[in-house]
Amino acid sequence: MLLSVQNLHTFYGQIEALKGIDIEVAEGEIVTLIGANGAGKSTTLKTISGQLAPREGKIVFADEEIQGMPAHQVAAKGVVQVPEGRRIFPRMTVEENLEMGAYLRNDADGIAADKEMVFELFPRLKERRSQKGGTLSGGEQQMLAMARGLMAKPKLLMLDEPSMGLAPVVVETIFETIERLHQEGITILLVEQNAAMALAVADRGYVLETGRVALTGSGKELLGNEQVRKTYLGEA
């Protein structure tokens, strides 16, 4: 198992946001976390990536415990988070943003090859390589955020709400890209409000409710689950 999260309890001050979560991600899988706002999805990613320290529980990545490690050390292990809201560097060019993604690397030839790889994956970014990040559209900024994450050479790519605020046609492009990354063997942990699209691409999923895992199963099983369909897919 590439990632194993065991009995994770994370607090914001006195508020317990995660109440004993257990999740697993095998190498090469897409695993998605779905749930309502405040269910603990983003908190789970932030705890795994080292932005938050859990009060209790274990996070085992590639057979090593990483809970409580500072975020830069977790990133150096290959756990890369593409944050909610994109958070690109608006005054830097597209190319400079990509170079920031590779800041922990020192293999110049590999960085150059990966830059070409992400330009092939996102042709629009190649066209805009000299443009400031802040002048891109929302969809282009999301592509840049994902491309910047890929430049870090992730063993686990964690995507936090990649479709948020984007037009439906752009959302389709983002999910096509996620599927392509999956086909290329990249392991993905996906947090997403668009439950239908997330479960359609996921090997497995977890439904979070108020800091706990309420349901788990394959993407197909959860898509067919009556409770999930009513609560998260808007069906009567």
Side-chain angles (χ1 to χ4, degrees):
M1 200 56 63
L2 182 65
L3 175 75
S4 177
V5 173
Q6 303 162 23
N7 190 35
L8 205 61
H9 293 258
T10 299
F11 286 72
Y12 291 102
Q14 296 302 309
I15 298 165
E16 189 174 16
L18 300 182
K19 303 169 182 174
I21 278 180
D22 295 278
I23 64 170
E24 290 186 331
V25 182
E27 197 163 344
E29 279 191 314
I30 296 181
V31 173
T32 189
L33 307 180
I34 65 168
N37 282 335
K41 306 183 302 296
S42 293
T43 303
T44 301
L45 295 196
K46 285 177 180 173
T47 308
I48 294 166
S49 67
Q51 295 174 60
L52 295 170
R55 201 171 288 184
E56 195 181 325
K58 275 204 278 192
I59 303 168
V60 182
F61 179 72
D63 299 322
E64 182 181 0
E65 287 190 32
I66 61 168
Q67 71 274 2
M69 254 184 207
H72 68 278
Q73 282 183 20
V74 176
K77 304 274 180 200
V79 179
V80 175
Q81 183 170 349
V82 177
E84 182 183 341
R86 304 181 265 283
R87 311 256 183 93
I88 56 142
F89 300 103
R91 295 200 176 103
M92 290 185 177
T93 65
V94 164
E95 199 148 11
E96 287 166 343
N97 267 274
L98 295 178
E99 284 160 4
M100 287 302 291
Y103 79 102
L104 287 171
R105 297 172 60 181
N106 53 18
D107 57 326
D109 290 346
I111 290 169
D114 283 346
K115 201 184 288 181
E116 288 312 307
M117 177 270 290
V118 299
F119 280 147
E120 193 254 323
L121 194 60
F122 301 104
R124 222 177 296 178
L125 295 183
K126 187 171 188 175
E127 292 165 17
R128 290 158 172 69
R129 67 195 299 165
S130 303
Q131 202 169 312
K132 294 273 172 63
T135 67
L136 301 178
S137 70
E140 289 162 352
Q141 289 188 17
Q142 184 60 55
M143 291 172 194
L144 179 55
M146 288 172 69
R148 183 181 62 188
L150 291 170
M151 289 298 297
K153 238 177 168 41
K155 292 176 185 165
L156 173 66
L157 184 65
M158 301 198 299
L159 303 173
D160 195 355
E161 302 285 9
S163 79
M164 183 181 276
L166 301 180
V169 66
V170 182
V171 172
E172 280 186 31
T173 303
I174 295 296
F175 272 90
E176 282 165 11
T177 305
I178 290 169
E179 287 196 271
R180 187 166 164 195
L181 294 174
H182 183 220
Q183 286 160 8
E184 290 177 10
I186 292 175
T187 308
I188 297 170
L189 180 56
L190 171 65
V191 160
E192 181 53 62
Q193 281 287 332
N194 189 328
M197 292 193 84
L199 291 171
V201 301
D203 296 295
R204 293 184 304 106
Y206 293 87
V207 179
L208 268 53
E209 288 179 5
T210 57
R212 291 188 172 89
V213 174
L215 275 174
T216 184
S218 70
K220 192 177 277 187
E221 285 167 353
L222 292 175
L223 265 177
N225 180 286
E226 190 179 343
Q227 185 62 41
V228 171
R229 296 183 78 84
K230 280 183 183 170
T231 309
Y232 302 107
L233 308 184
E235 297 189 6

